[in-house]
Amino acid sequence: MGPGPLRRNRLYEQVVHQLLTWAASSGLGPGDRLPAERELAASLGVSRATLAQALVALEVTGVVAVRHGDGTVLLTAPRPDSVLAALDARREDLGAVIEAREALEVRLAALAAHRRTDDDLAAIDAALAGMAADVERGGRGVAGDEEFHAAVTAAGHSPLLARFMAEIADRIRDSRIESLSQEGRPHRSLEGHRAIAEAIRAGDPDAAAAAMAAHIHLVSDVPLLGGG
């Protein structure tokens, strides 16, 4: 039996609260799978788009894992208020993370165009292929996206910049998950990656930097974390 319907239209924060309250009252805990999205949306009386936002909020705060083909699995069983507080903190941090990505990754892309080796190009191609395969299967391509950016960072051969990237990796993950959860975004992100890879392969640092800047601008449009 699913959670009871909401009495009126709610924002995704309220859906988060309702979901976690229902999960606790139903005895669900870490490792348990939530009902299918269609069933949950019907039980809560909300649109699937609103439910999807709530699930993204739970995913970026580490409460659930959304696995393509396997549904949504609880990882922890926190209080609803603590999840919303964590999400607020991530919203406040988003602007700083985007600024850091623009400063670090645009420069790393340019350096990669200068310094990439055959092995670096192979790693970039493998990440692109992995993301493309996931997206074609209906996935979001989150792992492939992460691997691509890691491969570009490695191709820049700048240990200090790579260390800075590692420092913000967890914060980038939040915006990556939400960005790739938006309709049509995985394919657009993949095309952005291909443009970056093409410029790096061509040894054109200006084109690589421009392609990375355009890509970061695209993926920084995250309404949930941005508060929109």
Side-chain angles (χ1 to χ4, degrees):
M1 180 177 178
L6 296 175
R7 295 182 182 275
R8 64 179 190 273
N9 290 333
R10 301 279 189 168
L11 299 174
Y12 74 89
E13 292 97 335
Q14 293 162 312
V15 179
V16 165
H17 194 284
Q18 180 85 343
L19 265 173
L20 292 178
T21 301
W22 164 77
S25 66
S26 299
L28 296 181
D32 289 329
R33 186 179 289 103
L34 295 180
E37 287 189 24
R38 188 182 303 276
E39 180 183 341
L40 273 178
S43 296
L44 292 166
V46 298
S47 69
R48 291 188 68 178
T50 300
L51 175 65
Q53 282 193 313
L55 292 177
V56 167
L58 292 174
E59 189 175 9
V60 300
T61 50
V63 177
V64 303
V66 179
R67 301 165 182 163
H68 178 60
D70 193 36
T72 302
V73 178
L74 276 173
L75 301 179
T76 64
R79 290 169 51 89
D81 290 348
S82 69
V83 173
L84 297 178
L87 196 63
D88 284 340
R90 282 164 168 77
R91 282 198 196 97
E92 293 174 2
D93 201 32
L94 180 63
V97 172
I98 293 169
E99 286 181 358
R101 291 193 71 180
E102 289 172 339
L104 295 171
E105 292 196 79
V106 171
R107 179 58 178 158
L108 280 163
L111 289 174
H114 273 302
R115 301 173 176 174
R116 83 286 187 274
T117 65
D118 288 344
D119 285 345
D120 292 326
L121 292 175
I124 289 171
D125 288 343
L128 283 173
M131 184 176 180
D134 187 17
V135 171
E136 288 305 312
R137 290 192 300 266
R140 295 176 297 179
V142 173
D145 185 289
E146 186 171 1
E147 289 166 7
F148 174 81
H149 286 276
V152 172
T153 294
H157 294 280
S158 174
L160 187 55
L161 292 183
R163 192 183 312 165
F164 291 153
M165 284 297 299
E167 286 289 322
I168 62 172
D170 287 345
R171 298 178 217 182
I172 292 174
R173 175 184 175 273
D174 294 347
S175 59
R176 171 177 287 124
I177 288 171
E178 190 193 346
S179 177
L180 292 172
S181 296
Q182 296 181 60
E183 185 176 357
R185 184 61 60 81
H187 283 96
R188 293 180 65 191
S189 182
L190 184 58
E191 288 306 308
H193 287 179
R194 286 172 173 154
I196 296 164
E198 181 179 346
I200 290 173
R201 188 181 306 278
D204 188 335
D206 290 338
M212 181 64 82
H215 177 64
I216 292 173
H217 178 74
L218 168 70
V219 301
S220 66
D221 175 18
V222 284
L224 188 153
L225 287 175

